[in-house]
């Protein structure tokens, strides 16, 4: 292939701009904030699940506490009613009176048991509420971090995108009057060779694969017309001769 030596030199500029674009795109795809946000999302799910369970426990225990309160009140009311009947002298039959007094002893015991249960439920409810409060606070903390990290990512991504646009514009201008066949070869090689399709021959080395060319190859290159497109024997990239090529 033949190409104007100036176009060949310019291809190195295009390559440099393409490499910068690749780097910026990679930077954009691997922003540390993206990984941070993924980790935060995982934490949020985990803490959110625990908070949901804690809320269920609080709701269950709140219901249980209300029931325990009601149970205590119910037995207390019955005991009060019995006491009033006795106090008002409504129970005249000694047998009935004795039975009622027995019942009141048993009601007292029942109140004691129910109050123990009530206390136990209250303690469990306090523990569950504390757990829920802690998890809710943790969720708020995670949400703050997610917000801050999202803001930071937006800012950094914006800066990188701005650079991308600028470099892409430069690239467009630089590549605008390049020979089509040279560009096609370059693009093909770039796709095959990790983003580097053209390299300078500098100090007898290929800038693409770093191989030092032997004297025979250098001799051939030195004799080749300046518009001949040279390819590296080792990596087959386009090898551009410059003033620093050492030939
Ligand atoms: Zn090479």
């Amino acid at each position: 292939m033949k190409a104007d030596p100036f176009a060949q030199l310019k291809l190195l500029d295009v390559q440099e701009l393409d490499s910068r674009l690749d780097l910026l795109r990679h930077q954009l795809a691997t922003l540390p904030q993206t990984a941070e946000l993924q980790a935060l999302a995982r934490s949020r799910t985990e803490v959110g699940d625990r908070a949901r369970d804690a809320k269920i426990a609080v709701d269950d225990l709140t219901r249980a506490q209300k029931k325990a309160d009601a149970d205590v009140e119910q037995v207390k009311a019955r005991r009060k009613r019995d006491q009033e009947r006795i106090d008002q002298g409504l129970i005249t039959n000694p047998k009935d009176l004795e039975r009622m007094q027995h019942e009141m002893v048993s009601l007292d015991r029942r109140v004691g048991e129910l109050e123990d249960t009530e206390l136990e439920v209250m303690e469990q409810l306090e523990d569950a509420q504390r757990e829920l409060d802690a998890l809710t606070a943790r969720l708020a903390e995670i949400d703050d971090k997610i917000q801050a990290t999202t803001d930071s990512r937006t800012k950094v991504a914006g800066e990188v995108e701005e650079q991308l646009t600028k470099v892409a514009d430069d690239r467009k201008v630089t590549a605008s009057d390049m020979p089509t066949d040279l560009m096609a070869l370059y693009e093909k090689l770039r796709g095959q060779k990790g983003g580097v399709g053209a390299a300078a021959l500098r100090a007898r080395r290929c800038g693409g694969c770093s191989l030092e060319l032997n004297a025979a190859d250098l001799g051939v290159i030195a004799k080749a017309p300046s518009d001949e497109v040279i390819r590296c024997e080792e990596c087959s990239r386009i090898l551009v001769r410059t003033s620093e090529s050492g030939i």
Side-chain angles (χ1 to χ4, degrees):
M1 185 187 286
K2 300 265 181 194
D4 184 299
F6 291 108
Q8 291 192 39
L9 279 173
K10 215 170 173 191
L11 187 61
L12 292 177
D13 295 339
V14 173
Q15 174 67 72
E16 200 199 321
L17 291 166
D18 276 338
S19 295
R20 275 172 67 192
L21 285 173
D22 287 345
L23 198 70
L24 288 167
R25 281 190 206 103
H26 175 75
Q27 208 180 324
L28 198 60
T30 56
L31 290 176
Q33 289 90 342
T34 304
E36 270 173 52
L37 282 169
Q38 280 164 353
L40 283 167
R42 280 195 294 275
S43 295
R44 208 200 180 285
T45 304
E46 188 230 330
V47 177
D49 285 350
R50 283 169 59 199
R52 201 187 50 225
D53 291 348
K55 178 78 173 73
I56 291 169
V58 166
D59 289 348
D60 287 350
L61 286 164
T62 302
R63 265 194 300 277
Q65 197 205 1
K66 276 187 188 141
K67 188 184 176 296
D69 287 350
D71 288 350
V72 168
E73 289 316 309
Q74 196 186 13
V75 179
K76 275 184 174 170
R78 184 161 160 199
R79 193 193 176 286
K80 196 176 161 223
R81 213 164 45 236
D82 286 357
Q83 185 67 56
E84 280 166 3
R85 289 178 72 196
I86 293 168
D87 291 349
Q88 287 162 13
L90 293 174
I91 317 295
T92 46
N93 184 327
K95 255 196 173 159
D96 285 347
L97 193 62
E98 196 186 339
R99 191 178 50 73
M100 270 190 90
Q101 272 157 352
H102 274 303
E103 190 186 271
M104 291 201 20
V105 171
S106 125
L107 286 175
D108 278 341
R109 201 170 48 232
R110 185 76 188 120
V111 167
E113 285 166 9
L114 289 171
E115 279 177 343
D116 284 349
T117 305
E118 192 185 23
L119 205 68
E120 214 173 281
V121 171
M122 264 171 66
E123 276 167 9
Q124 284 174 4
L125 177 57
E126 274 171 21
D127 288 348
Q129 187 63 55
R130 218 178 350 260
E131 167 88 354
L132 177 58
D133 290 348
L135 290 168
T136 305
R138 178 92 189 90
L139 272 183
E141 217 173 87
I142 293 172
D143 284 343
D144 285 351
K145 267 191 200 152
I146 287 175
Q147 187 59 59
T149 310
T150 303
D151 290 349
S152 158
R153 184 175 65 175
T154 305
K155 184 171 171 282
V156 175
E159 287 163 5
V160 176
E161 273 160 4
E162 205 177 300
Q163 288 186 57
L164 260 174
T165 308
K166 231 157 90 184
V167 178
D169 286 349
D170 274 4
R171 200 269 187 202
K172 205 172 157 189
V173 172
T174 308
S176 62
D177 53 358
M178 290 288 281
T180 320
D181 55 350
L182 182 65
M183 283 308 284
L185 175 63
Y186 161 75
E187 293 288 8
K188 193 183 101 188
L189 289 168
R190 214 171 98 71
Q192 293 167 350
K193 308 273 169 195
V196 180
L201 174 63
R202 188 166 286 136
R204 303 175 173 212
R205 280 180 195 278
C206 164
C209 63
S210 298
L211 187 90
E212 184 167 0
L213 279 76
N214 63 40
D217 286 342
L218 283 167
V220 172
I221 293 170
K223 276 192 218 112
S226 63
D227 64 350
E228 182 72 37
V229 175
I230 309 289
R231 306 278 294 275
C232 172
E233 287 291 333
E234 180 66 18
C235 69
S236 60
R237 290 182 174 98
I238 299 167
L239 207 47
V240 180
R241 284 162 285 176
T242 74
S243 56
E244 296 164 1
S245 289
I247 49 172

